[in-house]
Amino acid sequence: MNSTSTDILISEVGPRDGLQSIKSIMPTEKKNAWIDALYTAGIREIEVASFVPAKLLPQMADADQVVRYAKNLPGLTVMALVPNLKGAQAAIEAGVDKVTVPVSASAAHSLANVRKTREEMIEEVKKIAQYRKDYAPHVKVEAGIATAFGCTLQGLVPEDEVIWMAEQVIAAGADESGLSDTTGYANPAQIKRLFKRLKAAIGDKAGAAHLHNTRGLGLANCLAAYEEGVTSFDSSMGGLGGCPYAPGASGNVVTEDLVFMFEAMGIKTGVNLDLLFEARQPLQIGVPNEAIYGMVPEAGVPKGFEPATHWSN
């Protein structure tokens, strides 16, 4: 078991972001086996599902079953993506600890992704936050700002609009708002600038960095965010994921590589790398026709490598 405190939180989004972005449908029992393996490796926050109509995302048709299974793992924060109040109600009924609401800074992406304008999504966050307050005050509401660094549909997204969106969702009742590089456009200088502005605007309600490796800058961008004080990072095992409504948005940051980078730097993630590598097996068994990636799992850790997180049996 992990015997130390952690410096940062690695939030695994593969069971949601990864699986909804591929054609394969992983059977429920194989999802559960993968979640088990991630948990055994020390991952303590997992986005396990999206609560959306099965006809839109058949990969997520078993969302309530997966949530109920994951809730049996002690100390795990079980998270789900919800695009609207109806999804939030279903997720809360299933027992989630946290809902994430995708709110796009890009007006074009907002319409493509959730079929609502940005202003309508702010109202949706307000409804979700009120429902949570009335019926499930223990549940956290995160409203991440998607396409915060650029959009394949719209192009440039003004930084002022990104910060405005974050301020609006916090005012609407969200507990936190992070920034998502949905399309993999960001560079480290941009990451530093925007996260600094985010923290100045909403203080300790500034949330996770959800960054993609589409153009090879995922780890560099995570490090830049860390240097600006970000302590929560979304990533996906094997680099699965993207966004089905943002053309070309492939490649989440690889969890295994991200954990290695931080552990090699002496930053505790609470994750056991050996067990994390082992968790790739149930993932590959569950989606045998999909390619999974990762530099460190392929190359192995360097000789003499000492992780920052120490585990004891």
Side-chain angles (χ1 to χ4, degrees), residues 19 22-27 30-31 34 240 280-292:
L19 294 184
I22 59 177
K23 290 181 180 177
S24 306
I25 296 178
M26 186 185 281
K30 289 186 167 60
K31 287 184 184 180
W34 181 28
L240 282 183
R280 289 166 66 90
Q281 185 176 7
L283 166 59
Q284 195 70 86
I285 289 170
V287 285
N289 298 320
E290 302 293 339
I292 63 173

Side-chain angles (χ1 to χ4, degrees), residues 232-247:
S232 182
F233 297 85
D234 293 354
S235 59
S236 179
M237 174 159 278
L240 282 183
C243 175
Y245 301 105

